Amino acid sequence: MCGIIGYSGYRPAVPLLVEGLHRLEYRGYDSSGVAFDVLDRINVIKAEGKLSNLEAKLDSEMTLLATTGIGHTRWATHGLPVERNAHPHLSQDGAIAIVHNGIIENFQQLKDELTAKGHTFLSDTDTEVLAHLIGEERLSAPTLLDAFAAALRRAHGAYAVVLLSPEEHGVLYAARMSAPLLLGVGAGECFIGSDIPAFLPYTRDVVFLSDGEIVRVENESWEVFGLESLESRTSAKSVTRIAWDMHAAAKDGFKHFMLKEIMEQPRVIKDCLTGRLTGYGVDRRVSLPELDGLPVPSRLHIVACGTSYNAGLWGRQLIERMGGIPVDVDIASEFRYRDPILRPDEMVLVISQSGETADTLAALQLARGKGCRVIGLCNVVGSSIARESDVVLYTQAGPEISVASTKAMCSQMTLLALIALYFGQRRSPAVCDPSLLEALEALSGRLQEELPLMNERAKQLAEKFARTRGFFYLGRGCCEALAYEGALKLKEISYIHAEGYAAGEMKHGPIALVDSDFSSFALALDDDLFPKVKSNIQEILARRGRVIALVQRRGTGMAPRIEAEEVWELPASHPVAAGFLALPALQLFSYHVADYLGNDVDQPRNLAKSVTVE
Ligand code: F6R
């Protein structure tokens, strides 16, 4: 939800800001802009739409002179995605420029107050109100820092904001409240960004800012203050070296990040398992030392959004069956408002790739407020959810740049399988299914071999089915969650309407949609429920519906007999491992449909990667 970046150092700031914005564009791409300070004047250049529109405007030599600047790529919240609403926004006198990610909830009240004092506004945004408020506070505050803090104390809501003013040449101020913001520390330079890839080519040394903190940067020096009393907090902050490298944030010859990230899944599974399995043969066990200090919960509440929620639904089946723990799965935006009953011996597991999703974070805070312990399953190190959870398990998938989440779900599923096995072991040390551990360990190599074949098959089927009116995704058991995920992936990047259903539920209404122009993707994997799904496929065929059946070959090497317009065969596997084979099949099918239709796969319309607003 909007990417922000700031730079103070010795390099030409504008090209560096634009380069960083390219790596943040997954957070929003409705408009973009930069502000830089040359000859004691703030210059602002902005453009509607993709970053390339902004780049086309940055041809003046002046853009090479500044060594301090701020930049923004927007996902619209207040106001249309047009140029006048693009950031940066200026104070009334033009002496202060800010970029902002988040929502100032009381902006209308502040705007009315400032309008009464003679302020006029050029945009519809809450951000411009904040810029004016800082300018207004500057009239009475002793320093720019005091003015910034005074304005932020009056702003309610969520923000990550960076401020530039020629009043303090070469200096940036930045602050955060419930929105991500990091400081990158280099030699002779400092960076501010919404996410690590923004400055990854220049430094891997990061300072994580907390809510209610302001940072002042000037070249390599940085100082952190508490927002309320401006006491220095610098000595309490530490610099963390991030393990990611640029290779992880580049496309590496793939046409899209989404394809690259799908293809990375064998590595992701391997990394998730590394160090988490111990012992040999019949003594092989799951080791999750992060959870050793926690009791086995009497009930687990899994809370997440979108793809992470679908991973949670998949995990429930395993945690109940193998871990012996009753599990509820909730959508975070509902959980946070329904006053859930949480007992002290229960636990909440929040799942979030970004670790910044506003609803998931609020659900976590609610659970902790009710005295419930929270386990966080996160990809982004140092993210808000990672920091606020009692215990965090990192999924180690590496940066996920494509807006559509793929490898993150694979990593979440791997860890959920480990959690299920781990709690099973805790309840009864003798219980650990060696065949499942073996299957998980073999999975990475297996998938590596299969992915190129799956990619070819997905492309063929995508071209055949890309013009269909709509899609059902159907599955039972663990495949119900995968059906939801398949439908989510297809609709978000191909814009074809798709719905996931528990296959048995389809005849209770949805089947009315089926005709010869309507398709279904049936997950008919090799498990106990296969005969039931096969019957559901027959019900669709009887109404002239088109069907792709995703099946698995049996131990004999033969696929089961099944009637469908297209049968997509996956190799035989352990029933739990089957989900890890089906997931990339679903992802690749959506990818190729979207690519065939000429859509912007990595940056689908109306979406943003990290949803930091409700
Ligand atoms: C779908 C997608 C979203 C995210 C959701 C939660 O492809 O990316 O549905 O899964 O916004 O995000 P995280 O996992 O960052 O909390």
Side-chain angles (χ1 to χ4, degrees), residues 24-76:
L24 290 178
E25 212 180 3
Y26 71 89
R27 302 179 67 86
Y29 28 83
D30 290 331
S31 63
S32 56
V34 290
F36 49 98
D37 164 14
V38 177
L39 305 174
D40 284 341
R41 224 187 110 243
I42 296 182
N43 298 269
V44 177
I45 302 178
K46 40 197 192 180
E48 188 177 324
K50 291 284 177 84
L51 205 44
S52 49
N53 299 348
L54 175 69
E55 285 175 292
K57 288 183 162 185
L58 294 174
D59 52 0
S60 105
E61 276 184 16
M62 216 165 48
T63 60
L64 298 175
L65 298 178
T67 55
T68 310
I70 57 179
H72 188 270
T73 177
R74 179 168 186 248
W75 187 83

Side-chain angles (χ1 to χ4, degrees), residues 460-517:
Q460 268 173 11
L461 293 174
E463 289 173 14
K464 187 167 178 197
F465 283 81
R467 304 280 173 201
T468 193
R469 192 177 83 243
F471 255 99
F472 283 153
Y473 279 74
L474 304 173
R476 287 173 179 255
C478 281
C479 287
E480 179 194 347
L482 296 174
Y484 295 141
E485 178 58 12
L488 174 59
K489 262 331 56 109
L490 187 71
K491 70 185 136 197
E492 75 174 316
I493 57 171
S494 75
Y495 317 141
I496 295 174
H497 183 242
E499 290 306 328
Y501 281 104
E505 189 62 13
M506 187 233 356
K507 54 185 166 295
H508 297 283
I511 199 166
L513 290 172
V514 172
D515 61 20
S516 59
D517 188 27

